[in-house]
């Protein structure tokens, strides 16, 4: 169940988050729809994202993390934990596969 917490609300986390200012994209519908987000903090288990516009996100989606130093992107499957207007908290869903690289036209 998605919870509507204030993004300032402190939640117990499995891993500490590091502040960051990275560009990213949320991808839904098997990468057919994407939109830009700002990754404000991130850990091994999740992230806090800021969207440029309010979207009603599905419970599961992919987060594409852009790396300007290498020109490559990585993709992590996410579960929406909470959303407060433009700010969302996500949990990374681990699987047995390594982080997937995104096709060049999406990165």
């Amino acid at each position: 169940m998605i919870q509507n917490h204030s993004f300032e609300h402190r939640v117990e986390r499995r891993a500490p988050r590091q502040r960051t200012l990275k560009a990213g994209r949320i991808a839904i519908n098997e990468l057919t729809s994407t939109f830009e987000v700002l990754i404000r903090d991130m850990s091994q288990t999740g992230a806090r994202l800021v969207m440029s516009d309010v979207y009603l996100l599905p419970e599961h989606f992919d987060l594409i993390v852009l790396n300007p130093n290498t020109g490559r992107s990585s993709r992590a499957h996410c579960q929406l934990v909470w959303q407060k207007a433009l700010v969302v908290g996500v949990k990374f869903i681990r699987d047995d596969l390594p982080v997937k690289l995104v096709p060049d036209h999406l990165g």
Side-chain angles (χ1 to χ4, degrees):
M1 170 78 48
I2 299 168
Q3 299 176 14
N4 187 8
H5 292 291
S6 167
F7 67 89
E8 295 174 5
H9 179 74
R10 293 286 170 206
V11 177
E12 281 190 42
R13 295 187 176 97
R14 292 182 181 175
R17 288 195 178 168
Q18 299 294 319
R19 288 186 184 265
T20 186
L21 190 60
K22 292 184 177 185
R25 290 188 185 153
I26 288 177
I28 57 176
N29 300 326
E30 297 183 19
L31 299 176
T32 59
S33 299
T34 66
F35 50 94
E36 293 181 6
V37 296
L38 185 61
I39 304 167
R40 292 303 314 216
D41 58 45
M42 183 181 267
S43 73
Q44 293 294 321
T45 59
R48 180 171 54 105
L49 314 174
V50 179
M51 301 183 293
S52 59
D53 205 354
V54 177
Y55 299 99
L56 182 59
L57 295 175
E59 186 175 359
H60 294 98
F61 55 86
D62 288 327
L63 175 63
I64 300 168
V65 180
L66 310 174
N67 185 335
N69 296 326
T70 64
R72 300 183 73 167
S73 301
S74 60
R75 183 174 68 183
H77 193 62
C78 298
Q79 178 179 344
L80 180 64
V81 177
W82 57 265
Q83 180 171 359
K84 176 77 173 178
L86 298 174
V87 184
V88 297
V90 301
K91 176 174 75 170
F92 298 137
I93 298 173
R94 303 285 184 200
D95 54 19
D96 294 335
L97 300 174
V99 174
K100 305 167 194 114
L101 293 178
V102 179
D104 289 337
H105 72 280
L106 294 176

